Amino acid sequence: MKKIHILILLLLLISCKSFSQCCSAGNPLGGDGSNEGLNKNELKLFTSFKYSLSKNYYHLDAPYDIPNVEKSYYDYQNISFTYGIFSRLSVYTELGYFFSKTQEVKLTNDQIIIQSKGLGDLGVSLRYMLLKTVKPVSQLVISGGAKIPIGAFNEEIDGAMVPISLQPSSGALKFNAGIYYSRKRADLKFGWNSFLFFESSNTIDQGFLIYKYGNLLQLSIAATYEIQRKLNFIFNSKFEWRAHDLREKEMMIESTGGKVFFLNPQLVYAFKPGWSLIAMADIPVYKYVNGYQLTHSFSIQLGIRKSLKFCNSGI
Amino acid sequence: MNIKLIILSSMIVFSIVFLSCKKDENKQLTQPTDNLAIDSLVATKTNIKIYEQTFITAYTRGKNLKFQWNANHGTIETTDSSTVMYWACPSCVGLNTIECKVTNDYGTVSDTIMINVY
């Protein structure tokens, strides 16, 4: 048991140089890492703080030396609600605020800091439980929704608009669909879940800016382990594939899109009935980018979750 | 009762968010006159490599001018209000448009310049 604890701590402390597309515009996928459906009249509130850092340029699957960009990072606060409106149907909403979305660039001898802040996109989706069983505890959930660009997309510094990649909002309406399955036997400490997510973006058409984000496909597979009655560890692995972005006349932007494989360890501590503290990290362990791209080094997220039940409703 | 309160308060929160985040409407452009005009936008280079810089200057007429710069791809850094530095990262390769809008009491005028990033 002690060895498992040490292994978990080590995994959480790893900060290997790795990747994902940080500099790409838009909003992180929020939430508490769970995509489960809720029973009728159940409510789950979650808020978290996320820090993400990108430092290294990659060309294909290898580091590439472009000395100009020193680093890019953001501080992001997210809040989400999940509410069971019927016995099998839940609604999920999320909204986030960037306290800062920053890029530090060194051109000649001067260091330039470009920074913005503001509201991100509003996420809304419906989750429908196709299947739910008690023994074993399992769920099969399909979801569909949208990300609505209500946030700041016109941030400027001294009269100069900050680039699209540093705007808090993605500026584009996006539609997504997902399928989630989880399974755990009550008499075992191990369980697992998996999640397949697809997102497609509308084209931004604002004056001279014609831009379409590439489609995103994400597959997660997670093993869950109950360390103690109140403490759970989730060892999540995530594969992300993003297609090229397009600009005017549907011209493909070569240095966008790619493939990333993340480890995404999570600790969930239920400190009071209905209350949980959640810590998670995104650690990219393999990255393949199209062209030349600044890549994600790591991100950490700390959050608190409150679950409420307004009246009895059986599973 | 609790549920209704929560749903109602969520709707109010999101309504406030929607209303407060309404984007600035595009300023109506006016015809150039001696009181307000952009005579030209001039760049030190119009063909630049990735992360190479070019300086763009707006030559204008009029008083109490307020400048607003915008690029469809790439980054603009103001050096003074009428001159900006422009550069672009690898995802901005191509022919990019940089727009300058100048505003004073007489209205708003705009001009563009194209910079090729390779």
Side-chain angles (χ1 to χ4, degrees):
Chain A
M1 179 63 80
K2 201 174 177 181
K3 282 180 183 170
I4 292 172
H5 289 191
I6 292 167
L7 179 69
I8 289 163
L9 278 173
L10 281 173
L11 282 168
L12 281 173
L13 292 172
I14 284 170
S15 63
C16 56
K17 281 184 184 177
S18 41
F19 149 108
S20 111
Q21 280 172 253
C22 148
C23 208
S24 69
N27 284 210
L29 296 173
D32 59 357
S34 164
N35 295 283
E36 64 189 13
L38 296 183
N39 292 309
K40 188 178 178 182
N41 293 334
E42 282 182 3
L43 177 71
K44 199 165 69 176
L45 304 171
F46 177 68
T47 183
S48 69
F49 177 81
K50 184 171 188 174
Y51 172 79
S52 177
L53 174 71
S54 299
K55 265 193 112 169
N56 303 102
Y57 255 97
Y58 264 60
H59 172 51
L60 305 178
D61 60 354
Y64 187 85
D65 188 28
I66 293 184
N68 302 90
V69 171
E70 301 212 315
K71 59 183 173 181
S72 182
Y73 52 93
Y74 62 74
D75 301 308
Y76 180 72
Q77 182 79 40
N78 166 275
I79 184 164
S80 67
F81 304 76
T82 316
Y83 180 68
I85 43 181
F86 298 111
S87 65
R88 286 175 180 267
L89 187 68
S90 315
V91 63
Y92 170 81
T93 61
E94 66 163 292
L95 188 61
Y97 184 86
F98 286 95
F99 293 109
S100 78
K101 202 170 182 184
T102 307
Q103 192 167 75
E104 294 183 12
V105 184
K106 199 164 190 176
L107 300 168
T108 61
N109 290 324
D110 298 327
Q111 190 187 43
I112 297 163
I113 297 175
I114 309 154
Q115 196 167 56
S116 69
K117 62 181 176 181
L119 271 180
D121 296 343
L122 171 69
V124 183
S125 64
L126 287 172
R127 296 175 180 174
Y128 183 76
M129 274 191 278
L130 281 176
L131 176 78
K132 53 178 179 177
T133 62
V134 180
K135 285 185 179 179
V137 180
S138 72
Q139 273 194 6
L140 176 64
V141 179
I142 53 168
S143 61
K147 279 209 156 187
I148 305 157
I150 62 164
F153 195 61
N154 51 4
E155 288 291 292
E156 56 179 62
I157 302 170
D158 299 331
M161 198 77 83
V162 303
I164 180 174
S165 61
L166 291 173
Q167 293 287 349
S169 169
S170 69
L173 179 64
K174 296 174 179 172
F175 296 98
N176 58 63
I179 183 162
Y180 169 81
Y181 181 70
S182 72
R183 183 183 173 96
K184 185 178 182 300
R185 269 176 53 178
D187 57 330
L188 290 180
K189 291 193 169 195
F190 284 99
W192 70 276
N193 65 64
S194 58
F195 182 53
L196 181 67
F197 177 84
F198 175 77
E199 186 177 73
S200 178
S201 167
N202 271 8
T203 302
I204 304 169
D205 186 353
Q206 288 186 9
F208 303 104
L209 178 64
I210 311 287
Y211 200 90
K212 185 179 188 302
Y213 299 109
N215 291 339
L216 170 71
L217 183 70
Q218 204 177 69
L219 173 66
S220 310
I221 297 175
T224 62
Y225 178 71
E226 189 182 310
I227 301 168
Q228 291 174 356
R229 196 170 55 86
K230 293 182 175 180
L231 186 63
N232 280 279
F233 176 66
I234 301 167
F235 187 78
N236 191 32
S237 58
K238 194 163 61 176
F239 178 75
E240 193 175 287
W241 173 81
R242 192 184 286 272
H244 286 98
D245 295 352
L246 303 174
R247 52 186 289 176
E248 65 275 6
K249 296 175 186 167
E250 302 211 332
M251 274 194 293
M252 189 180 77
I253 302 173
E254 177 53 32
S255 292
T256 53
K259 292 167 264 193
V260 194
F261 180 70
F262 294 92
L263 293 181
N264 174 222
Q266 301 170 26
L267 268 182
V268 182
Y269 177 60
F271 62 99
K272 276 170 71 174
W275 290 91
S276 303
L277 283 174
I278 298 174
M280 55 181 133
D282 267 337
I283 305 162
V285 290
Y286 172 77
K287 39 198 177 184
Y288 179 97
V289 299
N290 301 321
Y292 301 85
Q293 291 180 45
L294 182 64
T295 62
H296 185 198
S297 298
F298 73 91
S299 62
I300 50 170
Q301 190 173 353
L302 291 172
I304 187 165
R305 183 173 67 197
K306 171 67 176 164
S307 300
L308 296 160
K309 201 169 188 175
F310 294 104
C311 61
N312 289 330
S313 58
I315 293 178
Chain B
M1 182 64 179
N2 281 338
I3 301 167
K4 283 180 184 171
L5 267 176
I6 287 164
I7 293 169
L8 187 64
S9 45
S10 305
M11 287 170 71
I12 291 168
V13 167
F14 286 134
S15 304
I16 291 167
V17 167
F18 267 112
L19 291 172
S20 64
C21 294
K22 194 180 173 187
K23 304 238 181 347
D24 287 344
E25 286 173 13
N26 283 337
K27 289 168 185 162
Q28 286 282 359
L29 296 179
T30 49
Q31 287 297 317
T33 63
D34 280 345
N35 295 315
L36 176 65
I38 300 174
D39 290 331
S40 61
L41 294 180
V42 178
T44 51
K45 290 179 177 179
T46 51
N47 270 295
I48 56 170
K49 292 178 191 165
I50 291 164
Y51 283 119
E52 190 182 355
Q53 305 135 69
T54 182
F55 291 87
I56 305 166
T57 301
Y59 292 94
T60 54
R61 278 176 279 164
K63 289 180 181 171
N64 302 320
L65 302 177
K66 189 185 166 197
F67 290 80
Q68 192 181 30
W69 294 85
N70 185 18
N72 61 348
H73 298 276
T75 307
I76 299 168
E77 167 89 2
T78 24
T79 52
D80 63 58
S81 53
S82 63
T83 301
V84 293
M85 181 168 70
Y86 172 83
W87 75 91
C89 64
S91 62
C92 304
V93 167
L95 193 59
N96 300 327
T97 306
I98 290 87
E99 182 190 37
C100 176
K101 276 185 182 172
V102 181
T103 304
N104 69 4
D105 295 339
Y106 293 91
T108 301
V109 290
S110 95
D111 200 358
T112 60
I113 187 169
M114 309 296 281
I115 303 288
N116 184 47
V117 179
Y118 62 97

